[in-house]
Amino acid sequence: MIVLLIGSGGREHALAYKIKQSSLLTKLYMAPGNPGTKKLGENIKLDISKHNGVIDFCLENKVELVVVGPEIPLVNGLANELRKNKILVFGPNKEAADIEGHKTFAKDLMKTYNIPSAGYQKYSSYEFNKANDYLLKCKYPVVLKADGLAAGKGVIICKDKDEAIKSLNEIFIEKIFGDAGNKLVIEEFMYGEEASIFAITDGTDFICLPSAQDHKRIGDNDTGKNTGGMGAYSPAPMVTDEILSQVRTTIIEPVLKALREENRTFVGCLYCGLMLTEEGPKVVEFNCRFGDPETQAVLPLIEGDFLNLLYTAAKGKLDAPDIKYSGGSSVCVIAASKGYPDEYKIGYEIKALDELKDVLCFFSGVKEDSSGKLITSGGRVLCITAVLKELNIKEAKDIAYKELSKISFENIYYRKDISDKAYINFY
């Protein structure tokens, strides 16, 4: 099978790593890929925002499956255009991708179909005064979420009225999230443990991959601003068999059915960001693709032919009898550029990668300079993932941090507590 993988980050590096293991694979192209993915296939210079260029490449190179990694091409309708040209694609069409592309749509859908989530109000920027009045009288803390895509950073948790009013001004007046903040959702704050579940689906049938827990805040002990994710581990011990069964029956099955009824059939990876509350699991957010960095932690724990899983889902007939959890454990730590998620500098040489042992190193914000040296090119730079055959999160964490300490680049920054919640609270 000839496969085109869209994207260039750590998630796509992990997807390429897993797809490469398939006996079905003949050729793997990545557009645009990164210096790590080129060891797994062929990176190609292709402007993925130009849909016609992607279609032409697929037709010329007899691509049999396109796997779309990031959310922006999906929300912008790349999957629609590929399907119009009879090109098989793993990833939802634009209408289904609205479940991530527009928070107001997702919240309204969950309310209509009784899918458990936080209570909310929604406002447009021209309703500034209404939103302000609501924040003056509501219960705190509250969560402000930009309606549109904001690279995982469009969420502000406000502990009191002053913080909330300040944040409202930043979103609606100062436009800190750009057009993504033209509408916002104000949610009640949910208490509990967060967890992530990936459901691979053909629109009706689905299979859940091992659970994970992401670490969104920039600082240790979940302090500071939200980021795209500073690390993850898998499996998450708080996701018991009983809770997973509840998630399947009260969240995943109903939302897939709701999307079908709304003529928005979802084919691809439905990311379920969950809060495990005293009342049961509730939805924090849905994403229309694999999560980053959870993908880097989850995929190494899957046994079976991953490419066949994606292919049969895309064909509309999910068939993956050999896919199962390995029984192991993983911890992924993000090495970032100091200053992220705000301003940071790039272009620094990454040193000592060849000294890494016993870990997977997925590239996120990495480029090659003209001399072939690897340099930093983003806020999140590397994803160091330790994978064990047995279930021991603490040992996996120790290995990940031991190896990460060997790496250096100017202004390197990483959290020191990725996965602590797992073994402190549960093991």
Side-chain angles (χ1 to χ4, degrees), residues 207 303-305 308-309 312 317-325:
I207 184 172
E303 293 180 349
D305 195 317
N308 183 61
L309 173 65
T312 58
K317 187 64 177 172
L318 188 70
D319 181 27
D322 62 339
I323 293 290
K324 64 179 182 178
Y325 161 54

Side-chain angles (χ1 to χ4, degrees), residues 9 19 29 38 40 70 105 110 163 196 220 227-228 312 319 321:
I19 289 169
Y29 293 105
K38 77 175 186 179
L40 300 167
F105 164 74
M110 286 185 274
E163 267 191 18
S196 306
D220 288 352
T227 71
T312 58
D319 181 27

Side-chain angles (χ1 to χ4, degrees), residues 339-360:
Y340 174 78
D342 295 318
E343 292 184 11
Y344 55 86
K345 294 180 179 178
I346 60 174
Y348 298 118
E349 183 181 358
I350 304 167
K351 299 176 181 177
L353 285 176
D354 57 350
E355 295 180 21
L356 295 178
K357 299 177 186 174
D358 305 320
V359 291
L360 297 168

Side-chain angles (χ1 to χ4, degrees), residues 367-384:
K367 286 187 177 176
E368 279 182 316
D369 68 8
S370 57
S371 67
K373 288 180 181 176
L374 295 176
I375 59 172
T376 65
S377 66
R380 295 186 295 172
V381 179
L382 299 169
C383 320
I384 305 301

Side-chain angles (χ1 to χ4, degrees), residues 225-244:
K225 289 189 175 182
N226 262 23
T227 71
M230 292 302 297
Y233 66 91
S234 179
M238 60 284 295
V239 182
T240 62
D241 289 345
E242 180 184 355
I243 286 175
L244 182 57

Side-chain angles (χ1 to χ4, degrees), residues 214-215 228-232 291-298 332 334 380 383:
D214 185 15
H215 297 64
M230 292 302 297
D292 186 345
E294 295 100 323
T295 300
Q296 294 91 300
V298 169
C332 169
I334 300 295
R380 295 186 295 172
C383 320

Side-chain angles (χ1 to χ4, degrees), residues 208-226:
C208 293
L209 302 187
S211 60
Q213 187 176 59
D214 185 15
H215 297 64
K216 281 285 186 190
R217 299 294 195 96
I218 188 64
D220 288 352
N221 301 312
D222 295 329
T223 55
K225 289 189 175 182
N226 262 23

